Amino acid sequence: VLTQSPGTLSLSPGERATLSCRASHYVTSDYLAWYQQIPGQAPRLLIYRASIRATGVPDRFSGSGSGTDFTLTISRLEPGDFAVYYCQQFGSSSEATFGGGTRVEVK
Amino acid sequence: EEQLEQSGAEVKKPGESVKISCKGSGDRLTDHWIGWVRQSPGKGLEWMGMIYLGNSNTRYSPSFQGQVTFSADKSLTTAYMQWTSLKASDTAMYYCVTLPVSERHFDFWGQGTLVTVTS
């Protein structure tokens, strides 16, 4: 199980966003990924292996953490960053699970 | 860059069957699984399972085992997901995704296929 917090984050453009994802079991080899979903669009990969940015992802997005606690940080929010963010892992039984999501909204 | 093109929206009645598709445009799919992710209206993401194009090996989430069937046509680089008897609760957006065989993340997503089940 992946638990994301907070459920909603209300911030202004230019502010820093810190999103948390906690796993109920140890995440092997830091196989933890983050996705962004803008309303009305398909999700897109942001971060994989906990801290590697996917191709084309701006460097204001960064991932960190290991074991069971992971963080996605957006250093300075831009208008297009207001979206829902999901973390994802594969469990020991080779099943993928997603966290419940964190909505980043304009304050 | 890989492109995944999904089939169009479907409107069905309860009890009907439907088969949706996901076609990959690149040649990298030989090293990828194609997975399916459900997003019910206003809800989060749920992994349903995946199929390996090379040999049609499948893995199903326990939550969806027996509810859907995955298939693939390697020559067409296309994956399919099929229901034989739809329920209203199957109403959702369905995304196909690619998973590199050596990784545990979904690197490309299709645009989604909306399946609406209504009487």
Side-chain angles (χ1 to χ4, degrees):
Chain A
V1 176
L2 293 176
T3 302
Q4 291 189 242
S5 61
T8 302
L9 203 49
S10 298
L11 295 167
S12 300
E15 289 194 295
R16 182 185 187 90
T18 303
L19 288 66
S20 172
C21 177
R22 177 164 290 177
S24 58
H25 293 89
Y26 183 89
V27 179
T28 307
S29 301
D30 295 335
Y31 281 127
L32 191 286
W34 290 93
Y35 303 86
Q36 176 196 61
Q37 186 175 32
I38 294 168
Q41 296 185 18
R44 70 154 176 158
L45 176 67
L46 291 178
I47 301 284
Y48 63 98
R49 294 248 194 168
S51 62
I52 301 174
R53 273 189 298 276
T55 302
V57 175
D59 60 7
R60 66 179 181 275
F61 291 91
S62 62
S64 62
S66 64
T68 59
D69 289 296
F70 299 87
T71 300
L72 174 69
T73 301
I74 311 171
S75 59
R76 294 172 308 280
L77 283 165
E78 294 194 1
D81 298 338
F82 292 93
V84 180
Y85 293 84
Y86 295 94
C87 57
Q88 172 260 318
Q89 63 144 0
F90 264 83
S92 56
S93 53
S94 298
E95 296 170 33
T97 56
F98 291 93
T102 290
R103 180 181 306 276
V104 179
E105 64 176 23
V106 179
K107 186 175 181 180
Chain B
E1 179 176 293
E2 184 61 55
Q3 299 282 346
L4 297 174
E5 187 67 29
Q6 296 188 233
S7 50
E10 302 275 2
V11 180
K12 295 291 184 181
K13 291 181 166 51
E16 291 187 334
S17 64
V18 71
K19 189 174 186 177
I20 63 175
S21 66
C22 171
K23 179 173 175 57
S25 63
D27 60 5
R28 65 204 302 268
L29 287 184
T30 52
D31 293 327
H32 284 66
W33 293 77
I34 295 183
W36 295 93
V37 175
R38 183 174 81 173
Q39 188 167 39
S40 299
K43 302 297 185 183
L45 305 172
E46 299 175 273
W47 179 73
M48 303 176 71
M50 57 193 184
I51 185 165
Y52 187 65
L53 263 188
N55 58 13
S56 291
N57 186 20
T58 56
R59 294 182 186 171
Y60 291 90
S61 163
S63 300
F64 293 94
Q65 178 85 48
Q67 307 304 307
V68 294
T69 302
F70 304 142
S71 59
D73 186 325
K74 182 180 176 182
S75 66
L76 298 177
T77 59
T78 299
Y80 305 92
M81 179 165 63
Q82 179 175 6
W83 291 257
T84 56
S85 182
L86 287 159
K87 303 182 287 288
S89 57
D90 293 319
T91 295
M93 183 70 82
Y94 293 89
Y95 295 102
C96 65
V97 295
T98 54
L99 170 74
V101 293
S102 58
E103 292 289 346
R104 296 293 181 268
H105 61 268
F106 306 118
D107 54 357
F108 291 101
W109 293 64
Q111 84 276 22
T113 295
L114 180 62
V115 175
T116 303
V117 184
T118 178
S119 54

